[in-house]
Amino acid sequence: MANKLVIKVTSGADAPERCSQAFTVAAVAVASGVDVSVWLTGESAWFALPGRAAEFELPHAAPLQDLLESVLSAGWVTLCTQCAVRRDIGEADVIEGVRIAGAQVFVQEVMADGTQALVY
C-alpha cells in the first residue's frame, strides 16, 4: 500500500468537476492520515493566489477553499514553476504554505518508493 499520495491537478474553472474531484480526494486522503502532496498545474495554478479558491463554485461540492485549507493543514501544495511563470505568479504572490517547484521535484516525488500518483 502506498504511504504517500501525489495528486497533480491540471484543471480549474475550465473543468470544475475534475478540479473538485482532485481536491476532494486530496482532502479525504489527508483526513485519513495519508501523506499528501498536491501539484497545481495548468488552470489550477490560479488557486495558489489568495482568494481564488473561494471564488470557485460547483453545485453539490464541498467549497474548494475548505478543501485547499485541509490539504495545506497537513500536506503539501506545490505550484508548477512553468505554470507560475506563464501566469506571472511569483513566490511573494502565493498563499502561505504553497511552494513553487518544477518538474524535477515532481518526478522525485512520484518515483519515490511507496508513492501513488494521480492526475486530474
Side-chain angles (χ1 to χ4, degrees):
M1 182 171 177
N3 298 323
K4 183 174 184 176
L5 179 61
V6 178
I7 299 176
K8 186 175 194 177
V9 189
T10 63
S11 58
D14 60 325
E17 286 183 295
R18 188 172 47 199
C19 176
S20 179
Q21 290 167 358
F23 280 96
T24 299
V25 168
V28 168
V30 165
S32 300
V34 176
D35 184 13
V36 175
S37 174
V38 171
W39 280 74
L40 304 176
T41 67
E43 286 302 298
S44 73
W46 295 114
F47 299 129
L49 297 176
R52 289 295 184 99
E55 296 172 1
F56 180 89
E57 292 183 12
L58 180 63
H60 310 291
L64 193 67
Q65 180 69 37
D66 294 350
L67 298 172
L68 178 57
E69 287 175 5
S70 175
V71 174
L72 283 168
S73 73
W76 302 95
V77 177
T78 305
L79 171 59
C80 161
T81 301
Q82 290 183 16
C83 301
V85 170
R86 284 187 199 101
R87 290 160 180 81
D88 199 28
I89 299 172
E91 299 233 1
D93 301 317
V94 300
I95 58 178
E96 186 176 342
V98 173
R99 69 177 175 166
I100 298 176
Q104 179 183 4
V105 177
F106 177 78
V107 170
Q108 286 175 339
E109 281 192 30
V110 300
M111 295 306 295
D113 288 340
T115 299
Q116 172 68 51
L118 300 174
V119 179
Y120 285 88

